[in-house]
Amino acid sequence: MTNSPIKAAVLTVSDRCSKGITTDTSGPSLCEMLRTKLGAEIVRTAILPDEQDQLAACFLDWCTPKPPALTLDLLLSTGGTGLAPRDVTPEAAARVIQRPHAGLMDLARLRCYAKTPRTFLSRGIAGTINQTLLITLPGSPRGATEMLEALLDILPHAIETLRGDVQDDGRPGASAATGRVINHRD
Amino acid sequence: MTNSPIKAAVLTVSDRCSKGITTDTSGPSLCEMLRTKLGAEIVRTAILPDEQDQLAACFLDWCTPKPPALTLDLLLSTGGTGLAPRDVTPEAAARVIQRPHAGLMDLARLRCYAKTPRTFLSRGIAGTINQTLLITLPGSPRGATEMLEALLDILPHAIETLRGDVQDDGRPGASAATGRVINHRD
Amino acid sequence: MTNSPIKAAVLTVSDRCSKGITTDTSGPSLCEMLRTKLGAEIVRTAILPDEQDQLAACFLDWCTPKPPALTLDLLLSTGGTGLAPRDVTPEAAARVIQRPHAGLMDLARLRCYAKTPRTFLSRGIAGTINQTLLITLPGSPRGATEMLEALLDILPHAIETLRGDVQDDGRPGASAATGRVINHRD
């Protein structure tokens, strides 16, 4: 099993934050939680408006390994997951996700439900793009951090599995056993 | 925040009801609940057979605003969500839904589970078509009304958000703040 | 209602088992549970590597009724549902599933959650292909059998409904009432 820190990126999705009308607090809150709770290294952040094409392009670009750059393990977005007319983050994500992961969002919502029944109003989805796990979180600082918190215990194992370091059942994975790099299949 | 009543429509999906062999009781039960519990105005009802093309066309037609007609806030269907060979309502809905909303059905099933574990046999889905929220409910009067009941507390907020009247976090939305009409993005 | 036994098949998905490096124990465990708990007849088993095209072709082939062969009621796969780089069983299934059934997996995960929170790491999906219900279970013997066990009470009713023998609400279905064969609509 590798012990290299989780490489994470956070994308804030908000028309108003992208124009400087409102200050983004959700993005920084997620970065702080990633650093302190998971020991993650934040390698990228950005703020984009609620524009589906721009969001899909950003997801794909950030999740495409470009040598010698490091491969991103985890990409969190915050915002654009609700029912407001311009909320299209899940649609942007669905266009570029290669392997959907409904269970992760189900777990997050289930765990947030007692505190916040409205967590089920979020349309956020999750899935993998190349070697990166993408999770689309709600836009409010509370909604975003509560959902991330609900996944903190499971994310390190998820990322180790995605890296090919372990099997789902905890046995050493092919890359750990052989030292070879596992190439993701498209 | 606008206080105009929710404009709702109910589509009954049933081969037998559409032929007059069986009397539709699910549709009228849903209308009654919408009126008494949400103060909704029922603007359309119909009964269609389990034909995927007809259902998709009806969903799209009802959810397309035609000036000067009123925009529909909520479209409920009842029937065709199970595993029976002719059940294809979710497939019809998936063809025309623009923004899927898995969380709404998850919440409904979770809340119905204690009373009715078979609620998980329903394949119903939800999502938006233009400015309308579509929810595909099961065909039995009990299954349909129990699922709607499970969503009564959350639907007014969902619809206000969809109208652009509020943000997900409860702040006034763009249309409320500026008085402008928010056009839904395709 | 027909009392003919459930016809089931089990596909093990594993690079290592397909090469004989590891002995498949999940497949036999599922067969045993299907026989003893559901009285099912196991009509096919196989082991395939984690190759998306091969898996999709197998799902479709097994679920295509070929006269005078028997129609399969239930197809379980085990393996390839996680986040490991070569896990692509849900993607293979999604390519050939005609009517998705998210609720079945939701119910299984919900019931497994108390014992095994990691059940939510499985990306498994379910749905129908022609007259067959396909469920993609995790690869570990424990994960696979726990999820199947969580569905044992609901599967007989699900399969009767899929056969057209009963309505979702328990009334006799069209085929039971008329004796006619119900053809599945594509």
Side-chain angles (χ1 to χ4, degrees):
Chain A
M1 187 191 310
T2 179
N3 286 314
S4 71
I6 294 171
K7 282 167 190 59
V10 174
L11 177 68
T12 299
V13 181
S14 163
D15 285 334
R16 290 187 293 190
C17 291
S18 72
K19 289 174 194 157
I21 298 169
T22 310
T23 302
D24 174 29
T25 57
S26 299
S29 299
L30 290 174
C31 290
E32 173 70 10
M33 188 175 275
L34 286 168
R35 275 194 209 98
T36 58
K37 303 289 187 183
L38 293 180
E41 183 185 341
I42 310 299
V43 297
R44 290 188 97 151
T45 66
I47 303 177
L48 285 179
D50 295 277
E51 294 290 342
Q52 197 176 138
D53 290 347
Q54 276 184 258
L55 297 173
C58 174
F59 289 147
L60 197 55
D61 179 50
W62 288 15
C63 298
T64 304
K66 297 174 199 68
L70 298 165
T71 296
L72 193 64
D73 293 308
L74 180 64
L75 169 49
L76 302 182
S77 71
T78 169
T81 62
L83 281 166
R86 284 183 53 78
D87 287 339
V88 290
T89 305
E91 284 62 51
R95 277 166 50 182
V96 289
I97 280 175
Q98 293 159 351
R99 299 189 298 167
H101 200 319
L104 274 186
M105 305 312 284
D106 289 344
L107 178 61
R109 290 191 188 105
L110 196 61
R111 286 174 164 177
C112 291
Y113 177 58
K115 272 201 229 173
T116 316
R118 280 189 186 176
T119 189
F120 280 98
L121 275 180
S122 163
R123 303 185 302 107
I125 63 172
T128 66
I129 306 172
N130 300 320
Q131 291 95 328
T132 308
L133 178 62
L134 166 62
I135 305 178
T136 61
L137 300 170
S140 77
R142 182 181 156 185
T145 52
E146 278 185 6
M147 284 195 100
L148 174 56
E149 193 171 30
L151 296 174
L152 285 176
D153 63 336
I154 216 163
L155 279 176
H157 178 75
I159 287 163
E160 280 172 10
T161 309
L162 185 54
R163 283 177 175 178
D165 291 337
V166 292
Q167 302 282 325
D168 272 348
D169 54 10
R171 289 174 300 176
S175 75
T178 66
R180 286 185 304 105
V181 171
I182 300 284
N183 290 311
H184 176 78
R185 304 175 61 248
D186 283 0
Chain B
M1 187 191 311
T2 178
N3 286 312
S4 70
I6 294 171
K7 280 167 191 57
V10 174
L11 177 67
T12 299
V13 181
S14 163
D15 284 335
R16 290 186 293 190
C17 291
S18 72
K19 289 175 193 155
I21 298 169
T22 311
T23 302
D24 174 29
T25 57
S26 299
S29 299
L30 290 174
C31 290
E32 174 69 8
M33 187 175 276
L34 287 168
R35 274 193 209 100
T36 58
K37 302 289 186 182
L38 293 179
E41 184 185 339
I42 310 300
V43 297
R44 290 188 98 150
T45 66
I47 302 176
L48 285 180
D50 294 277
E51 294 290 341
Q52 198 176 138
D53 290 346
Q54 275 184 259
L55 297 173
C58 174
F59 289 147
L60 196 55
D61 179 49
W62 287 15
C63 298
T64 303
K66 297 175 199 68
L70 297 165
T71 296
L72 193 63
D73 293 307
L74 180 65
L75 169 49
L76 303 181
S77 71
T78 169
T81 63
L83 281 165
R86 283 183 53 78
D87 286 339
V88 291
T89 306
E91 284 60 53
R95 277 166 48 182
V96 290
I97 279 175
Q98 294 159 350
R99 300 189 297 168
H101 200 320
L104 274 185
M105 305 312 285
D106 290 344
L107 177 61
R109 289 191 189 105
L110 196 61
R111 286 175 163 175
C112 291
Y113 177 58
K115 269 199 229 175
T116 318
R118 281 189 185 176
T119 189
F120 281 96
L121 275 180
S122 163
R123 303 185 301 107
I125 62 171
T128 65
I129 305 172
N130 299 320
Q131 290 96 326
T132 307
L133 178 62
L134 166 63
I135 304 177
T136 61
L137 300 170
S140 76
R142 182 182 155 186
T145 53
E146 277 185 5
M147 285 197 101
L148 174 57
E149 193 170 31
L151 296 174
L152 286 176
D153 63 337
I154 214 162
L155 278 177
H157 179 74
I159 287 163
E160 281 172 10
T161 309
L162 185 55
R163 284 177 175 177
D165 291 338
V166 292
Q167 302 282 326
D168 272 348
D169 53 10
R171 290 175 299 178
S175 75
T178 65
R180 286 186 304 106
V181 172
I182 301 285
N183 290 312
H184 176 80
R185 301 174 63 247
D186 281 0
Chain C
M1 188 192 308
T2 179
N3 286 313
S4 70
I6 293 172
K7 281 166 191 60
V10 174
L11 177 68
T12 299
V13 182
S14 163
D15 284 334
R16 291 187 292 190
C17 291
S18 72
K19 289 173 194 157
I21 298 169
T22 311
T23 301
D24 174 28
T25 56
S26 298
S29 299
L30 290 174
C31 290
E32 174 68 9
M33 187 175 276
L34 286 168
R35 274 193 211 99
T36 58
K37 303 289 186 181
L38 293 179
E41 182 186 342
I42 310 299
V43 297
R44 290 188 97 150
T45 66
I47 303 177
L48 285 180
D50 294 276
E51 295 291 341
Q52 198 175 138
D53 290 347
Q54 275 184 260
L55 297 173
C58 174
F59 289 147
L60 197 55
D61 179 49
W62 287 14
C63 297
T64 303
K66 297 176 199 66
L70 297 166
T71 295
L72 194 63
D73 292 310
L74 180 64
L75 169 49
L76 302 182
S77 71
T78 170
T81 63
L83 281 166
R86 285 183 52 78
D87 287 339
V88 291
T89 307
E91 284 61 51
R95 278 166 49 182
V96 289
I97 279 175
Q98 293 159 350
R99 298 188 299 166
H101 201 319
L104 274 185
M105 305 312 285
D106 290 344
L107 177 61
R109 290 191 188 104
L110 195 62
R111 286 175 164 175
C112 291
Y113 177 59
K115 271 200 229 173
T116 317
R118 281 189 185 177
T119 188
F120 280 97
L121 275 180
S122 162
R123 303 185 302 106
I125 62 171
T128 66
I129 305 172
N130 299 321
Q131 290 96 326
T132 307
L133 178 62
L134 165 63
I135 304 178
T136 61
L137 299 170
S140 77
R142 181 181 155 185
T145 52
E146 277 185 5
M147 284 196 100
L148 174 57
E149 193 171 31
L151 296 174
L152 286 176
D153 62 337
I154 215 163
L155 278 176
H157 179 73
I159 287 163
E160 281 172 10
T161 308
L162 185 55
R163 284 177 175 178
D165 291 338
V166 291
Q167 302 283 324
D168 273 349
D169 53 10
R171 289 174 300 178
S175 75
T178 66
R180 285 185 303 106
V181 172
I182 301 284
N183 290 311
H184 175 79
R185 301 172 63 245
D186 280 0

